[in-house]
Amino acid sequence: MVERMARECLSVRVRLINRVVTGLYDRALRPFGMRVSQVNILVAVAHGGSARPADVCRALRLEKSTLSRDVELMKGRGWLESDPPAGGRNQVLRITPRGLELLDQMEPAWHEVQAEARRLVGEADVDALRRIADRLRLGGPD
């Protein structure tokens, strides 16, 4: 039983792959003071023009406390703003001009690490990941 679990567990494999790929992105984005998880939040908010925290949590499969910590940090750095400014249950998040500028500045680094991740994973497997995400309705911001 233990041998089979060690050899076949999908959860272990997915988590290890996630850690490796996340590490690539985090290293590439570190000079911008960002982690890939924060970039995902900025992009999710920017994609729709504005977003409620509950919608971001649903789209990115985040816990409320995780989103709240990152949002407060990004508000403090001037990358996000909320209405009402103090936050709260019904707040609406918006990316600021400074946040959009940050995304523009990091775009070349993102393209480079995206290409590195694609090479590491392999094009056929990138396509497989996209199909899996689509099947699970995880294709991107709603």
Side-chain angles (χ1 to χ4, degrees):
M1 174 66 160
V2 171
E3 283 299 317
R4 183 175 181 201
M5 289 175 74
R7 193 175 53 248
E8 297 179 17
C9 185
L10 291 175
S11 177
V12 168
R13 301 297 187 285
V14 169
R15 290 175 64 92
L16 290 170
I17 293 165
N18 177 51
R19 287 184 185 115
V20 169
V21 172
T22 297
L24 289 175
Y25 282 85
D26 283 349
R27 279 188 297 282
L29 300 172
R30 189 172 294 129
F32 302 95
M34 298 289 290
R35 295 186 322 270
V36 70
S37 58
Q38 295 165 332
V39 173
N40 291 338
I41 293 167
L42 278 181
V43 169
V45 172
H47 184 261
S50 65
R52 297 176 62 154
D55 296 331
V56 175
C57 285
R58 194 171 17 264
L60 298 178
R61 305 315 193 260
L62 294 175
E63 294 293 324
K64 290 177 190 176
S65 61
T66 301
L67 178 70
S68 179
R69 275 191 308 273
D70 280 336
V71 164
E72 288 308 311
L73 180 130
M74 290 187 281
K75 283 170 59 176
R77 293 184 178 172
W79 301 332
L80 284 178
E81 61 188 11
S82 67
D83 185 28
R89 171 170 269 170
N90 294 316
Q91 72 178 316
V92 175
L93 302 172
R94 282 183 301 280
I95 191 167
T96 65
R98 188 172 176 184
L100 287 170
E101 183 180 317
L102 178 66
L103 289 177
D104 284 343
Q105 290 171 353
M106 70 173 58
E107 186 177 12
W110 180 85
H111 279 292
E112 189 174 311
V113 73
Q114 180 81 348
E116 182 180 353
R118 290 178 77 91
R119 282 190 301 274
L120 180 68
V121 172
E123 286 302 319
D125 293 326
V126 168
D127 291 339
L129 288 172
R130 186 174 295 114
R131 286 191 307 275
I132 293 166
D134 289 348
R135 187 172 57 246
L136 297 174
R137 300 184 198 277
L138 304 172
D142 293 336

